[in-house]
Amino acid sequence: MKIHNKTGSFLLACSLALLAGCGSDGTSTSLTDNLIGTASAATLDTASNTSTTTDTAVVTTIPTVTTPTLAAQPLTVAETETLLFVREEEKLARDVYLTLYNQWGTNIFQNIANNGEQQHMDAIKVWVDAFGYVDPVSSNEIGAFTDPVILKLYNDLVARGMTSSQEALMVGGFIEEYDIKDLQDAIDEAKQGTNQAAVIQTYDSLLCGSRNHLRSFVGQIEKDGLVYQAQYVSQATVDAIVNSPDEKCGQ
């Protein structure tokens, strides 16, 4: 079934509006407390850097997100599996960060979890609902996952992050590198598959947010006098990201 331009644009507006504010570790009001307005009314003015306390994300309007009826070409089996994996992968990031915040009280974890990863989760859910898939996030409880791979990774990363506050920041860097690799793979897969521009643009906005999150973690690590080395992607990729300015994602 060929995607209808109006519905496709609405889906994209919903998912991208959820991503406005996924800069670095900006502090803003909870997304779920601000679901007002319409999909075309979302605007954002973001001022971001690598500190854990001074970044801001001023949201003037956040749209109501409703699940539209399915009006897009079905994804391939591989694309479907990737979409559902990314949905839980974003929850993994949120849950690890909230757990490490509770352990160490380092603001960067709470800020990125609430103002970044939750929005990433919500943006992917727009597509999960639109395609009529069963949401793999059957529980919002921290540490609850459907995919055994993600569950094991969650447990391993939390255990690592509990060893020290510095190691916790390294876990944050690893997660963002992991997301960057998977999201780029998702984009490449989608382009070679059904090539749906709106889905690809959602992934691209998540990828942008992950780059900003990596910049924030590396900035905090280096502020503490440590040297950050790549953990999952190439050092050249990490260097290219952290040596470039924060991006305004989904705008």
Side-chain angles (χ1 to χ4, degrees), residues 51-210:
S51 80
T52 60
T53 57
T54 60
D55 295 346
T56 59
V58 181
V59 180
T60 57
T61 306
I62 295 185
T64 299
V65 178
T66 58
T67 303
T69 57
L70 181 62
Q73 175 187 354
L75 300 179
T76 66
V77 172
E79 288 176 277
T80 300
E81 291 175 350
T82 295
L83 183 75
L84 298 178
F85 185 85
V86 170
R87 167 82 167 137
E88 279 205 287
E89 187 176 35
E90 299 301 336
K91 183 178 185 294
L92 163 74
R94 186 202 69 175
D95 289 5
V96 170
Y97 295 162
L98 289 177
T99 301
L100 295 180
Y101 172 74
N102 289 335
Q103 173 69 17
W104 303 110
T106 308
N107 288 336
I108 189 173
F109 292 115
Q110 184 181 52
N111 292 341
I112 291 180
N114 292 338
N115 304 315
E117 305 304 344
Q118 182 62 57
Q119 293 171 327
H120 288 196
M121 287 176 61
D122 294 343
I124 294 297
K125 190 174 188 299
V126 169
W127 289 109
V128 171
D129 291 343
F131 285 111
Y133 300 143
V134 176
D135 188 0
V137 180
S138 57
S139 170
N140 199 45
E141 179 183 355
I142 292 178
F145 299 99
T146 301
D147 191 306
V149 172
I150 292 182
L151 176 59
K152 183 180 186 306
L153 185 58
Y154 168 81
N155 290 329
D156 290 347
L157 290 173
V158 166
R160 177 185 171 191
M162 290 293 187
T163 59
S164 71
S165 59
Q166 292 178 337
E167 194 63 24
L169 292 171
M170 292 294 184
V171 166
F174 174 86
I175 288 174
E176 298 307 330
E177 288 187 46
Y178 187 87
D179 284 355
I180 286 167
K181 175 63 166 60
D182 280 0
L183 288 167
Q184 186 59 62
D185 288 347
I187 291 170
D188 294 343
E189 177 184 72
K191 288 180 177 179
Q192 295 169 12
T194 57
N195 197 31
Q196 296 190 55
V199 175
I200 292 169
Q201 191 165 350
T202 298
Y203 283 145
D204 191 59
S205 292
L206 266 65
L207 180 59
C208 176
S210 292

Side-chain angles (χ1 to χ4, degrees), residues 214-249:
L214 180 61
R215 293 180 179 106
S216 290
F217 279 117
V218 173
Q220 184 63 56
I221 289 166
E222 293 180 344
K223 181 180 178 182
D224 293 341
L226 302 176
V227 175
Y228 184 82
Q229 294 184 340
Q231 304 176 73
Y232 194 75
V233 300
S234 70
Q235 188 65 49
T237 298
V238 169
D239 290 345
I241 292 170
V242 300
N243 292 327
S244 59
D246 275 6
E247 303 164 73
K248 291 186 176 181
C249 306

